[in-house]
Amino acid sequence: LAHGLPVVTTKIGWEGIDGLTVAHIAVGHSADQVATHIISLLTDRGRAERMGSNGRALIREKYSWESVIACAEEVYTRLSR
């Protein structure tokens, strides 16, 4: 995601990344579905580019050093009160 590439994953691969939607990744619940998503992304370059761009934007928003530090500072501020 951070590299701006479209991602195809399983339900388990989707877990743990806050804010992910089908705008960011494609989720297959079987090997056939994963393969179908991959073929779709290889044949629809526009969709692949949009997914890659959306995924990169999400990671920058939620997981960049700046956003992680801001979140940590907020926690430390609340704890110090």
Side-chain angles (χ1 to χ4, degrees):
L1 287 168
H3 289 285
L5 298 172
V7 172
V8 177
T9 187
T10 64
K11 185 177 131 189
I12 293 171
W14 187 347
E15 295 175 357
I17 301 178
D18 186 42
L20 278 180
T21 69
V22 295
H24 307 104
I25 62 172
V27 179
H29 301 286
S30 68
D32 286 342
Q33 286 181 348
V34 168
T36 298
H37 284 304
I38 292 170
I39 291 167
S40 173
L41 289 167
L42 289 171
T43 58
D44 186 346
R45 188 160 183 83
R47 178 174 174 241
E49 289 175 2
R50 283 188 304 279
M51 281 181 64
S53 178
N54 291 342
R56 181 173 172 82
L58 176 76
I59 294 302
R60 288 182 127 186
E61 175 189 330
K62 298 219 177 249
Y63 298 101
S64 68
W65 281 110
E66 294 82 10
S67 63
V68 170
I69 289 169
C71 182
E73 286 175 343
E74 182 181 320
V75 169
Y76 294 143
T77 300
R78 280 187 282 163
L79 290 173
S80 66
R81 291 184 187 156

